[in-house]
Amino acid sequence: MNMIMSSTTKKPVQFPDSVDVLIQDNESIEVKGQKGELRLNLITEVAVSIDERSLNVQSTSNSKFSKAAAGTFRSLINNMIIGVSEGYEKKLKLVGVGYRASIKGNQLNLQLGYSHDIDYEIPKEVKIECPKQNIIKLTSYNKDALGAAAAKIRSYRKPEPFKGKGIKYENEYIYRKEGKKK
């Protein structure tokens, strides 16, 4: 059976002059930029090569796993380059009466209608701001850490479908259900 490499894997990953990329014996790749520094361990099924200001990712064998891994690693490397050069941002919105967020030192203090406040320890790679009491702005150069932090904060009070109260992403649409009828 002839396996075709995905169109994503074929595209080279472009990186700007402000980003330094270092491949160490095809075992790991380091990306340094103005926002930070990231490192990714490679697997034997994937080979990475540098040409001028671009990276090429190829699978080393014809197996299905190797071709899938090549596409995944291409996306991971692209996310690393965008992260250290531009950074990532997510916004969370608190919807509900009395729901508010504030920053106290290295912790995000959340008041979400429970009998107690929730203190979330802010990870090192993530910066959190509260421009308003009901908006949380997260920024980071590491896309994985940013997504994990946003998901953890959202998990404290997920939006419910009847009134829409809870913590939601800024552009998230909450599907509303109709309440009980008499």
Side-chain angles (χ1 to χ4, degrees):
M1 189 165 117
N2 188 5
M3 302 199 76
I4 300 171
M5 197 162 28
S6 75
S7 59
T8 306
T9 309
K10 291 178 187 174
K11 293 179 194 170
V13 180
Q14 305 291 332
F15 57 93
D17 295 333
S18 62
V19 175
D20 295 328
V21 178
L22 178 68
I23 299 173
Q24 297 172 343
D25 302 327
N26 219 25
E27 289 179 12
S28 69
I29 183 167
E30 257 183 54
V31 180
K32 294 179 187 174
Q34 60 199 26
K35 300 266 184 190
E37 179 180 327
L38 292 169
R39 179 189 163 104
L40 177 69
N41 291 327
L42 299 174
I43 58 175
T44 56
E45 284 83 3
V46 175
V48 180
S49 60
I50 298 179
D51 300 331
E52 298 271 329
R53 302 303 306 162
S54 67
L55 282 161
N56 289 315
V57 181
Q58 292 103 15
S59 58
T60 56
S61 70
N62 245 1
S63 71
K64 192 174 184 179
F65 173 76
S66 178
K67 291 180 185 287
T72 301
F73 274 85
R74 187 229 176 258
S75 292
L76 290 173
I77 293 167
N78 189 41
N79 289 343
M80 289 167 55
I81 290 170
I82 292 170
V84 297
S85 61
E86 299 166 25
Y88 290 100
E89 176 183 295
K90 284 190 185 240
K91 284 186 180 177
L92 296 171
K93 188 173 182 184
L94 281 67
V95 179
V97 177
Y99 289 15
R100 57 180 59 97
S102 61
I103 296 173
K104 293 182 182 174
N106 194 28
Q107 291 186 333
L108 176 69
N109 180 271
L110 298 166
Q111 295 173 354
L112 301 173
Y114 295 120
S115 61
H116 60 282
D117 290 1
I118 297 171
D119 290 324
Y120 173 70
E121 189 76 31
I122 300 171
K124 291 179 208 165
E125 297 126 350
V126 180
K127 291 186 180 112
I128 297 180
E129 301 170 20
C130 293
K132 293 183 182 176
Q133 285 185 337
N134 66 335
I135 293 176
I136 303 169
K137 182 179 169 187
L138 297 94
T139 54
S140 179
Y141 59 89
N142 187 342
K143 191 174 186 179
D144 293 343
L146 179 72
K152 181 67 177 171
I153 293 168
R154 183 178 181 272
S155 74
Y156 291 130
R157 181 73 94 171
K158 288 186 180 173
E160 53 95 18
F162 296 102
K163 292 184 180 177
K165 291 169 55 173
I167 302 174
K168 67 175 197 144
Y169 293 108
E170 184 184 42
N171 57 359
E172 181 180 12
Y173 174 76
I174 307 300
Y175 176 74
R176 292 296 186 77
K177 289 183 179 177
E178 195 174 325
K180 290 183 181 178
K181 293 182 180 178
K182 283 189 171 185

